[in-house]
Amino acid sequence: MISFIICLALLIGGYFVYGKVVENTFAPDDRETPAVRINDGVDYVVMPQWKLFLVQLLNIAGLGPIFGAMQGALWGPVVFLWITFGTIFAGGVHDYFSGMLSERNDGASISEVCGIYLGNVMKNVMRVFSVVLLVMVGTVFAVGPAGLIVTLLGNKGVTGVLANPEVWLWIILAYYFVATFISIDKIIGRIYPLFGICLIVMAVGVIVGIFTNPNYTIPEIWTHFTNMHPAGKPIWSFMFITVACGAISGFHSTQSPLMARCMKSEKQGHFVFYGAMVAEGVIALIWAAAGCSIYKITGGLSTGLNDILANGQSAAIYDVCIKTMGGVGVALAMIGVIVCPITSGDTAFRSARLVLADWFKVDQNKMQKRLMLCVPLLAVGAFVGHLDYAIVWRYFSWTNQTLAMIVLWTASMYLFREKKNYWITAVPATFMSAVSMTYFFCAEECLGLSTKVAYPVGIILAAVFLGIFIRATKKPMKA
């Protein structure tokens, strides 16, 4: 429990200390923001800072820092270190720069931002990466809540049409269709902040339930500093890919432009982008602690956690909430884990629409043109929603962290051009390059090579990427 409290304190302190270092490196000023200058009443709408923070948190969170953190708990309390230091030195940096670089470029989608600083080839790569990732995220965040709703209804004895996950999947997709093209302040700006509060309250309820139950003890890192995964999966780089949301997630860079288009001042970026990432890190830390403490530790983590995770997100989250909060608190918790992923899913499809709009220069002021992009996007989402969920999630994980890698290299090039400390982004970019490339070579869904081959190749490729960047910094800049 002491190591959990230390990690929690580090996360909070990281926001005030390292978050300020990141902000000072970027140096926000008083220039007119896109929300003020463009203000089209659809995607560019000024919103107050507290709403920006809660909407950003809701957009980037969903089931990611909950289910991903519980999966990470299979490795034991060592996952606390990745969540803590990943959030402070990688995730927060990634989210801040993805949001602020979008804001500096008229609220452009992250693919367009990458093109500005890394060239047209990378722009096109990012366009494809972004759309594929966003459709997968939107689909994952539809299938998960649909299953959870059915689980809840089944526990209440409900049968028939309402107990069919296929029905709820189509209901959620229908909602996505509406929320994707209407003005951002109609639904998202009005009610999503309330759901953001629910997400926070839910996490607080889980940790209070753990602290007040004498049967639950959060294991210490120093007494369990080993790989405790029941299947023996290596920590590098599987844990770093599995726990994305709550440490660092490329998906966040696709969401940050939504709030970058709604900021009244650049100085709101520290609280909105870095702050929301730290809040997500805290949520992930709590759920990882739940996975490590509720399911007893024997030689490695008992198969209890592994078994409950094998039953899917719905069963795992429901089990934790019941055990920590009982019948009274579980209602709020279930609302949180049903609504929060849905609200991330609709903004995923909304972001995909904006990426395509920027890509093909489709004006989004008119509803007909927004529908022109929404219809095919949701059709593809409906198709993906009927694929094997486990396979979709695995591909999402690697794509997600590869996107984060590219965004960090983009921020590094921006800082180089501005003659600022680019190591603040180049170091995590190199680290995430090693993570992503190693996983690509050794994961079963990718090349499936042995770790003896994947480890050195992944690290060498990360070093090559760093070398290419350093070489680029030695070239004279164009005027």
mmCIF file of all heavy atoms in Angstrom, residues 1-43:
data_model
loop_
_atom_site.group_PDB
_atom_site.id
_atom_site.type_symbol
_atom_site.label_atom_id
_atom_site.label_comp_id
_atom_site.label_asym_id
_atom_site.label_seq_id
_atom_site.Cartn_x
_atom_site.Cartn_y
_atom_site.Cartn_z
ATOM 1 N N MET A 1 0.819 -1.211 0.000
ATOM 2 C CA MET A 1 0.000 0.000 0.000
ATOM 3 C C MET A 1 0.856 1.267 0.000
ATOM 4 O O MET A 1 0.504 2.270 -0.608
ATOM 5 C CB MET A 1 -0.942 0.011 1.195
ATOM 6 C CG MET A 1 -1.919 1.158 1.213
ATOM 7 S SD MET A 1 -3.093 1.084 2.562
ATOM 8 C CE MET A 1 -4.030 -0.371 2.143
ATOM 9 N N ILE A 2 2.019 1.194 0.647
ATOM 10 C CA ILE A 2 2.902 2.361 0.713
ATOM 11 C C ILE A 2 3.398 2.731 -0.676
ATOM 12 O O ILE A 2 3.436 3.912 -1.036
ATOM 13 C CB ILE A 2 4.094 2.083 1.657
ATOM 14 C CG1 ILE A 2 3.595 1.893 3.097
ATOM 15 C CG2 ILE A 2 5.100 3.228 1.599
ATOM 16 C CD1 ILE A 2 4.667 1.480 4.065
ATOM 17 N N SER A 3 3.763 1.737 -1.479
ATOM 18 C CA SER A 3 4.255 2.031 -2.833
ATOM 19 C C SER A 3 3.151 2.645 -3.692
ATOM 20 O O SER A 3 3.417 3.517 -4.534
ATOM 21 C CB SER A 3 4.800 0.763 -3.488
ATOM 22 O OG SER A 3 3.854 -0.274 -3.469
ATOM 23 N N PHE A 4 1.913 2.211 -3.470
ATOM 24 C CA PHE A 4 0.790 2.815 -4.191
ATOM 25 C C PHE A 4 0.668 4.295 -3.834
ATOM 26 O O PHE A 4 0.513 5.157 -4.715
ATOM 27 C CB PHE A 4 -0.512 2.091 -3.858
ATOM 28 C CG PHE A 4 -1.750 2.802 -4.344
ATOM 29 C CD1 PHE A 4 -2.170 2.662 -5.649
ATOM 30 C CD2 PHE A 4 -2.475 3.640 -3.502
ATOM 31 C CE1 PHE A 4 -3.299 3.336 -6.115
ATOM 32 C CE2 PHE A 4 -3.600 4.313 -3.950
ATOM 33 C CZ PHE A 4 -4.015 4.150 -5.258
ATOM 34 N N ILE A 5 0.746 4.619 -2.553
ATOM 35 C CA ILE A 5 0.618 6.001 -2.100
ATOM 36 C C ILE A 5 1.770 6.855 -2.638
ATOM 37 O O ILE A 5 1.571 8.004 -3.059
ATOM 38 C CB ILE A 5 0.568 6.064 -0.562
ATOM 39 C CG1 ILE A 5 -0.732 5.388 -0.067
ATOM 40 C CG2 ILE A 5 0.624 7.500 -0.069
ATOM 41 C CD1 ILE A 5 -0.815 5.242 1.433
ATOM 42 N N ILE A 6 2.972 6.282 -2.667
ATOM 43 C CA ILE A 6 4.131 7.011 -3.207
ATOM 44 C C ILE A 6 3.911 7.324 -4.685
ATOM 45 O O ILE A 6 4.152 8.443 -5.145
ATOM 46 C CB ILE A 6 5.424 6.198 -3.012
ATOM 47 C CG1 ILE A 6 5.788 6.122 -1.524
ATOM 48 C CG2 ILE A 6 6.576 6.822 -3.804
ATOM 49 C CD1 ILE A 6 6.960 5.208 -1.230
ATOM 50 N N CYS A 7 3.444 6.331 -5.438
ATOM 51 C CA CYS A 7 3.194 6.535 -6.874
ATOM 52 C C CYS A 7 2.104 7.576 -7.094
ATOM 53 O O CYS A 7 2.201 8.413 -8.005
ATOM 54 C CB CYS A 7 2.811 5.219 -7.531
ATOM 55 S SG CYS A 7 4.185 4.053 -7.715
ATOM 56 N N LEU A 8 1.074 7.544 -6.241
ATOM 57 C CA LEU A 8 -0.002 8.528 -6.347
ATOM 58 C C LEU A 8 0.532 9.931 -6.088
ATOM 59 O O LEU A 8 0.204 10.885 -6.818
ATOM 60 C CB LEU A 8 -1.105 8.186 -5.343
ATOM 61 C CG LEU A 8 -2.333 9.101 -5.321
ATOM 62 C CD1 LEU A 8 -3.051 9.064 -6.662
ATOM 63 C CD2 LEU A 8 -3.288 8.693 -4.198
ATOM 64 N N ALA A 9 1.383 10.068 -5.073
ATOM 65 C CA ALA A 9 1.974 11.374 -4.755
ATOM 66 C C ALA A 9 2.879 11.852 -5.884
ATOM 67 O O ALA A 9 2.898 13.046 -6.222
ATOM 68 C CB ALA A 9 2.755 11.286 -3.448
ATOM 69 N N LEU A 10 3.615 10.936 -6.490
ATOM 70 C CA LEU A 10 4.491 11.300 -7.607
ATOM 71 C C LEU A 10 3.683 11.802 -8.803
ATOM 72 O O LEU A 10 4.079 12.760 -9.481
ATOM 73 C CB LEU A 10 5.346 10.101 -8.017
ATOM 74 C CG LEU A 10 6.501 9.724 -7.082
ATOM 75 C CD1 LEU A 10 7.125 8.405 -7.514
ATOM 76 C CD2 LEU A 10 7.546 10.836 -7.055
ATOM 77 N N LEU A 11 2.561 11.137 -9.067
ATOM 78 C CA LEU A 11 1.711 11.563 -10.179
ATOM 79 C C LEU A 11 1.198 12.988 -9.966
ATOM 80 O O LEU A 11 1.268 13.831 -10.875
ATOM 81 C CB LEU A 11 0.522 10.606 -10.335
ATOM 82 C CG LEU A 11 0.745 9.346 -11.157
ATOM 83 C CD1 LEU A 11 -0.449 8.412 -11.037
ATOM 84 C CD2 LEU A 11 0.990 9.699 -12.621
ATOM 85 N N ILE A 12 0.693 13.249 -8.780
ATOM 86 C CA ILE A 12 0.155 14.580 -8.478
ATOM 87 C C ILE A 12 1.265 15.621 -8.511
ATOM 88 O O ILE A 12 1.117 16.705 -9.088
ATOM 89 C CB ILE A 12 -0.560 14.571 -7.118
ATOM 90 C CG1 ILE A 12 -1.778 13.629 -7.166
ATOM 91 C CG2 ILE A 12 -1.002 15.986 -6.738
ATOM 92 C CD1 ILE A 12 -2.426 13.396 -5.829
ATOM 93 N N GLY A 13 2.407 15.274 -7.904
ATOM 94 C CA GLY A 13 3.541 16.198 -7.932
ATOM 95 C C GLY A 13 4.061 16.420 -9.334
ATOM 96 O O GLY A 13 4.509 17.521 -9.684
ATOM 97 N N GLY A 14 3.998 15.371 -10.174
ATOM 98 C CA GLY A 14 4.458 15.492 -11.557
ATOM 99 C C GLY A 14 3.688 16.529 -12.345
ATOM 100 O O GLY A 14 4.248 17.209 -13.216
ATOM 101 N N TYR A 15 2.391 16.650 -12.048
ATOM 102 C CA TYR A 15 1.580 17.658 -12.736
ATOM 103 C C TYR A 15 2.105 19.062 -12.443
ATOM 104 O O TYR A 15 2.248 19.884 -13.360
ATOM 105 C CB TYR A 15 0.122 17.550 -12.293
ATOM 106 C CG TYR A 15 -0.704 18.750 -12.710
ATOM 107 C CD1 TYR A 15 -1.118 18.905 -14.029
ATOM 108 C CD2 TYR A 15 -1.032 19.749 -11.790
ATOM 109 C CE1 TYR A 15 -1.859 20.011 -14.424
ATOM 110 C CE2 TYR A 15 -1.771 20.857 -12.177
ATOM 111 C CZ TYR A 15 -2.175 20.991 -13.487
ATOM 112 O OH TYR A 15 -2.889 22.094 -13.876
ATOM 113 N N PHE A 16 2.410 19.337 -11.186
ATOM 114 C CA PHE A 16 2.832 20.680 -10.798
ATOM 115 C C PHE A 16 4.290 20.967 -11.158
ATOM 116 O O PHE A 16 4.623 22.106 -11.493
ATOM 117 C CB PHE A 16 2.641 20.873 -9.285
ATOM 118 C CG PHE A 16 1.201 20.902 -8.869
ATOM 119 C CD1 PHE A 16 0.603 19.783 -8.290
ATOM 120 C CD2 PHE A 16 0.418 22.036 -9.071
ATOM 121 C CE1 PHE A 16 -0.731 19.801 -7.910
ATOM 122 C CE2 PHE A 16 -0.913 22.063 -8.694
ATOM 123 C CZ PHE A 16 -1.492 20.941 -8.114
ATOM 124 N N VAL A 17 5.143 19.946 -11.108
ATOM 125 C CA VAL A 17 6.576 20.178 -11.334
ATOM 126 C C VAL A 17 6.943 19.938 -12.798
ATOM 127 O O VAL A 17 7.279 20.876 -13.525
ATOM 128 C CB VAL A 17 7.424 19.289 -10.406
ATOM 129 C CG1 VAL A 17 8.915 19.529 -10.675
ATOM 130 C CG2 VAL A 17 7.108 19.574 -8.947
ATOM 131 N N TYR A 18 6.879 18.683 -13.248
ATOM 132 C CA TYR A 18 7.309 18.404 -14.610
ATOM 133 C C TYR A 18 6.326 18.969 -15.633
ATOM 134 O O TYR A 18 6.728 19.391 -16.722
ATOM 135 C CB TYR A 18 7.477 16.895 -14.823
ATOM 136 C CG TYR A 18 8.329 16.572 -16.020
ATOM 137 C CD1 TYR A 18 9.699 16.809 -16.004
ATOM 138 C CD2 TYR A 18 7.767 16.039 -17.180
ATOM 139 C CE1 TYR A 18 10.489 16.529 -17.107
ATOM 140 C CE2 TYR A 18 8.544 15.749 -18.285
ATOM 141 C CZ TYR A 18 9.912 15.993 -18.249
ATOM 142 O OH TYR A 18 10.688 15.726 -19.349
ATOM 143 N N GLY A 19 5.055 18.985 -15.273
ATOM 144 C CA GLY A 19 4.074 19.585 -16.174
ATOM 145 C C GLY A 19 4.379 21.050 -16.434
ATOM 146 O O GLY A 19 4.177 21.550 -17.545
ATOM 147 N N LYS A 20 4.873 21.736 -15.410
ATOM 148 C CA LYS A 20 5.240 23.144 -15.575
ATOM 149 C C LYS A 20 6.480 23.280 -16.445
ATOM 150 O O LYS A 20 6.601 24.230 -17.232
ATOM 151 C CB LYS A 20 5.485 23.776 -14.197
ATOM 152 C CG LYS A 20 5.435 25.290 -14.217
ATOM 153 C CD LYS A 20 4.039 25.783 -14.586
ATOM 154 C CE LYS A 20 3.975 27.309 -14.597
ATOM 155 N NZ LYS A 20 2.637 27.788 -15.026
ATOM 156 N N VAL A 21 7.412 22.325 -16.314
ATOM 157 C CA VAL A 21 8.609 22.338 -17.161
ATOM 158 C C VAL A 21 8.207 22.194 -18.623
ATOM 159 O O VAL A 21 8.722 22.907 -19.503
ATOM 160 C CB VAL A 21 9.566 21.190 -16.755
ATOM 161 C CG1 VAL A 21 10.707 21.063 -17.766
ATOM 162 C CG2 VAL A 21 10.128 21.426 -15.362
ATOM 163 N N VAL A 22 7.286 21.275 -18.890
ATOM 164 C CA VAL A 22 6.804 21.054 -20.256
ATOM 165 C C VAL A 22 6.132 22.319 -20.791
ATOM 166 O O VAL A 22 6.368 22.736 -21.931
ATOM 167 C CB VAL A 22 5.823 19.861 -20.289
ATOM 168 C CG1 VAL A 22 5.159 19.741 -21.660
ATOM 169 C CG2 VAL A 22 6.549 18.576 -19.935
ATOM 170 N N GLU A 23 5.289 22.936 -19.968
ATOM 171 C CA GLU A 23 4.597 24.158 -20.381
ATOM 172 C C GLU A 23 5.589 25.281 -20.674
ATOM 173 O O GLU A 23 5.471 25.977 -21.687
ATOM 174 C CB GLU A 23 3.622 24.600 -19.290
ATOM 175 C CG GLU A 23 2.843 25.867 -19.672
ATOM 176 C CD GLU A 23 1.940 26.336 -18.551
ATOM 177 O OE1 GLU A 23 2.307 26.166 -17.374
ATOM 178 O OE2 GLU A 23 0.869 26.898 -18.864
ATOM 179 N N ASN A 24 6.569 25.446 -19.818
ATOM 180 C CA ASN A 24 7.562 26.505 -20.020
ATOM 181 C C ASN A 24 8.404 26.264 -21.270
ATOM 182 O O ASN A 24 8.834 27.207 -21.934
ATOM 183 C CB ASN A 24 8.471 26.625 -18.793
ATOM 184 C CG ASN A 24 7.735 27.185 -17.584
ATOM 185 O OD1 ASN A 24 6.702 27.839 -17.723
ATOM 186 N ND2 ASN A 24 8.259 26.929 -16.400
ATOM 187 N N THR A 25 8.633 24.993 -21.589
ATOM 188 C CA THR A 25 9.384 24.665 -22.805
ATOM 189 C C THR A 25 8.604 25.083 -24.041
ATOM 190 O O THR A 25 9.159 25.650 -24.986
ATOM 191 C CB THR A 25 9.674 23.150 -22.859
ATOM 192 O OG1 THR A 25 10.432 22.777 -21.704
ATOM 193 C CG2 THR A 25 10.458 22.799 -24.113
ATOM 194 N N PHE A 26 7.323 24.817 -24.042
ATOM 195 C CA PHE A 26 6.488 25.213 -25.174
ATOM 196 C C PHE A 26 6.270 26.722 -25.203
ATOM 197 O O PHE A 26 6.217 27.344 -26.266
ATOM 198 C CB PHE A 26 5.132 24.510 -25.094
ATOM 199 C CG PHE A 26 4.220 24.832 -26.249
ATOM 200 C CD1 PHE A 26 4.339 24.168 -27.457
ATOM 201 C CD2 PHE A 26 3.240 25.817 -26.138
ATOM 202 C CE1 PHE A 26 3.504 24.473 -28.528
ATOM 203 C CE2 PHE A 26 2.404 26.129 -27.199
ATOM 204 C CZ PHE A 26 2.535 25.450 -28.406
ATOM 205 N N ALA A 27 6.122 27.324 -24.028
ATOM 206 C CA ALA A 27 5.926 28.770 -23.874
ATOM 207 C C ALA A 27 4.643 29.284 -24.515
ATOM 208 O O ALA A 27 4.664 29.973 -25.545
ATOM 209 C CB ALA A 27 7.131 29.539 -24.434
ATOM 210 N N PRO A 28 3.486 28.980 -23.924
ATOM 211 C CA PRO A 28 2.217 29.522 -24.438
ATOM 212 C C PRO A 28 2.186 31.040 -24.280
ATOM 213 O O PRO A 28 2.801 31.591 -23.363
ATOM 214 C CB PRO A 28 1.171 28.842 -23.550
ATOM 215 C CG PRO A 28 1.887 28.513 -22.287
ATOM 216 C CD PRO A 28 3.286 28.168 -22.702
ATOM 217 N N ASP A 29 1.469 31.711 -25.173
ATOM 218 C CA ASP A 29 1.395 33.170 -25.099
ATOM 219 C C ASP A 29 -0.058 33.627 -25.218
ATOM 220 O O ASP A 29 -0.978 32.834 -25.088
ATOM 221 C CB ASP A 29 2.280 33.816 -26.169
ATOM 222 C CG ASP A 29 1.972 33.297 -27.572
ATOM 223 O OD1 ASP A 29 0.777 33.044 -27.867
ATOM 224 O OD2 ASP A 29 2.898 33.146 -28.380
ATOM 225 N N ASP A 30 -0.244 34.889 -25.517
ATOM 226 C CA ASP A 30 -1.597 35.470 -25.538
ATOM 227 C C ASP A 30 -2.169 35.618 -26.947
ATOM 228 O O ASP A 30 -3.090 36.401 -27.162
ATOM 229 C CB ASP A 30 -1.575 36.848 -24.857
ATOM 230 C CG ASP A 30 -1.259 36.753 -23.375
ATOM 231 O OD1 ASP A 30 -1.729 35.797 -22.744
ATOM 232 O OD2 ASP A 30 -0.534 37.626 -22.864
ATOM 233 N N ARG A 31 -1.634 34.895 -27.899
ATOM 234 C CA ARG A 31 -2.147 34.988 -29.264
ATOM 235 C C ARG A 31 -3.608 34.528 -29.324
ATOM 236 O O ARG A 31 -4.071 33.768 -28.471
ATOM 237 C CB ARG A 31 -1.287 34.166 -30.225
ATOM 238 C CG ARG A 31 -1.452 32.684 -30.105
ATOM 239 C CD ARG A 31 -0.491 31.947 -31.023
ATOM 240 N NE ARG A 31 0.896 32.188 -30.631
ATOM 241 C CZ ARG A 31 1.941 31.866 -31.393
ATOM 242 N NH1 ARG A 31 1.751 31.319 -32.586
ATOM 243 N NH2 ARG A 31 3.173 32.101 -30.975
ATOM 244 N N GLU A 32 -4.316 34.950 -30.343
ATOM 245 C CA GLU A 32 -5.722 34.584 -30.518
ATOM 246 C C GLU A 32 -5.824 33.104 -30.905
ATOM 247 O O GLU A 32 -5.123 32.641 -31.802
ATOM 248 C CB GLU A 32 -6.352 35.456 -31.607
ATOM 249 C CG GLU A 32 -7.866 35.457 -31.610
ATOM 250 C CD GLU A 32 -8.430 36.475 -32.585
ATOM 251 O OE1 GLU A 32 -7.943 36.520 -33.735
ATOM 252 O OE2 GLU A 32 -9.345 37.226 -32.211
ATOM 253 N N THR A 33 -6.666 32.381 -30.224
ATOM 254 C CA THR A 33 -6.786 30.942 -30.477
ATOM 255 C C THR A 33 -7.754 30.668 -31.630
ATOM 256 O O THR A 33 -8.581 31.521 -31.978
ATOM 257 C CB THR A 33 -7.290 30.215 -29.222
ATOM 258 O OG1 THR A 33 -8.618 30.678 -28.918
ATOM 259 C CG2 THR A 33 -6.373 30.457 -28.037
ATOM 260 N N PRO A 34 -7.674 29.463 -32.224
ATOM 261 C CA PRO A 34 -8.603 29.120 -33.318
ATOM 262 C C PRO A 34 -10.069 29.207 -32.912
ATOM 263 O O PRO A 34 -10.923 29.578 -33.724
ATOM 264 C CB PRO A 34 -8.211 27.673 -33.654
ATOM 265 C CG PRO A 34 -6.784 27.556 -33.234
ATOM 266 C CD PRO A 34 -6.663 28.416 -32.018
ATOM 267 N N ALA A 35 -10.372 28.874 -31.649
ATOM 268 C CA ALA A 35 -11.765 28.926 -31.189
ATOM 269 C C ALA A 35 -12.318 30.335 -31.287
ATOM 270 O O ALA A 35 -13.502 30.534 -31.600
ATOM 271 C CB ALA A 35 -11.856 28.431 -29.746
ATOM 272 N N VAL A 36 -11.479 31.318 -31.025
ATOM 273 C CA VAL A 36 -11.898 32.726 -31.076
ATOM 274 C C VAL A 36 -11.860 33.240 -32.507
ATOM 275 O O VAL A 36 -12.781 33.913 -32.975
ATOM 276 C CB VAL A 36 -10.993 33.587 -30.176
ATOM 277 C CG1 VAL A 36 -11.357 35.062 -30.309
ATOM 278 C CG2 VAL A 36 -11.093 33.131 -28.720
ATOM 279 N N ARG A 37 -10.797 32.880 -33.224
ATOM 280 C CA ARG A 37 -10.583 33.438 -34.561
ATOM 281 C C ARG A 37 -11.516 32.821 -35.609
ATOM 282 O O ARG A 37 -12.028 33.520 -36.485
ATOM 283 C CB ARG A 37 -9.122 33.208 -34.966
ATOM 284 C CG ARG A 37 -8.734 33.869 -36.290
ATOM 285 C CD ARG A 37 -7.262 33.739 -36.577
ATOM 286 N NE ARG A 37 -6.817 32.364 -36.749
ATOM 287 C CZ ARG A 37 -6.167 31.660 -35.844
ATOM 288 N NH1 ARG A 37 -5.874 32.202 -34.667
ATOM 289 N NH2 ARG A 37 -5.792 30.419 -36.089
ATOM 290 N N ILE A 38 -11.754 31.501 -35.517
ATOM 291 C CA ILE A 38 -12.569 30.809 -36.530
ATOM 292 C C ILE A 38 -14.026 30.695 -36.084
ATOM 293 O O ILE A 38 -14.938 31.091 -36.802
ATOM 294 C CB ILE A 38 -11.979 29.416 -36.828
ATOM 295 C CG1 ILE A 38 -10.541 29.567 -37.353
ATOM 296 C CG2 ILE A 38 -12.852 28.663 -37.829
ATOM 297 C CD1 ILE A 38 -9.807 28.263 -37.544
ATOM 298 N N ASN A 39 -14.256 30.130 -34.940
ATOM 299 C CA ASN A 39 -15.572 30.019 -34.306
ATOM 300 C C ASN A 39 -16.707 29.773 -35.304
ATOM 301 O O ASN A 39 -17.530 30.644 -35.577
ATOM 302 C CB ASN A 39 -15.871 31.280 -33.501
ATOM 303 C CG ASN A 39 -16.901 31.008 -32.403
ATOM 304 O OD1 ASN A 39 -17.812 30.214 -32.602
ATOM 305 N ND2 ASN A 39 -16.744 31.654 -31.274
ATOM 306 N N ASP A 40 -16.770 28.527 -35.812
ATOM 307 C CA ASP A 40 -17.789 28.189 -36.822
ATOM 308 C C ASP A 40 -19.087 27.658 -36.221
ATOM 309 O O ASP A 40 -20.031 27.343 -36.944
ATOM 310 C CB ASP A 40 -17.222 27.173 -37.822
ATOM 311 C CG ASP A 40 -16.863 25.836 -37.168
ATOM 312 O OD1 ASP A 40 -17.017 25.713 -35.934
ATOM 313 O OD2 ASP A 40 -16.427 24.915 -37.886
ATOM 314 N N GLY A 41 -19.151 27.551 -34.894
ATOM 315 C CA GLY A 41 -20.366 27.086 -34.250
ATOM 316 C C GLY A 41 -20.591 25.590 -34.342
ATOM 317 O O GLY A 41 -21.612 25.084 -33.865
ATOM 318 N N VAL A 42 -19.642 24.841 -34.912
ATOM 319 C CA VAL A 42 -19.774 23.389 -35.047
ATOM 320 C C VAL A 42 -18.637 22.684 -34.303
ATOM 321 O O VAL A 42 -18.861 21.980 -33.326
ATOM 322 C CB VAL A 42 -19.774 22.952 -36.531
ATOM 323 C CG1 VAL A 42 -19.876 21.424 -36.633
ATOM 324 C CG2 VAL A 42 -20.904 23.613 -37.278
ATOM 325 N N ASP A 43 -17.411 22.887 -34.775
ATOM 326 C CA ASP A 43 -16.241 22.271 -34.154
ATOM 327 C C ASP A 43 -15.376 23.295 -33.425
ATOM 328 O O ASP A 43 -14.646 22.936 -32.500
ATOM 329 C CB ASP A 43 -15.395 21.556 -35.215
ATOM 330 C CG ASP A 43 -16.156 20.416 -35.875
ATOM 331 O OD1 ASP A 43 -16.719 19.583 -35.140
ATOM 332 O OD2 ASP A 43 -16.208 20.370 -37.119
#
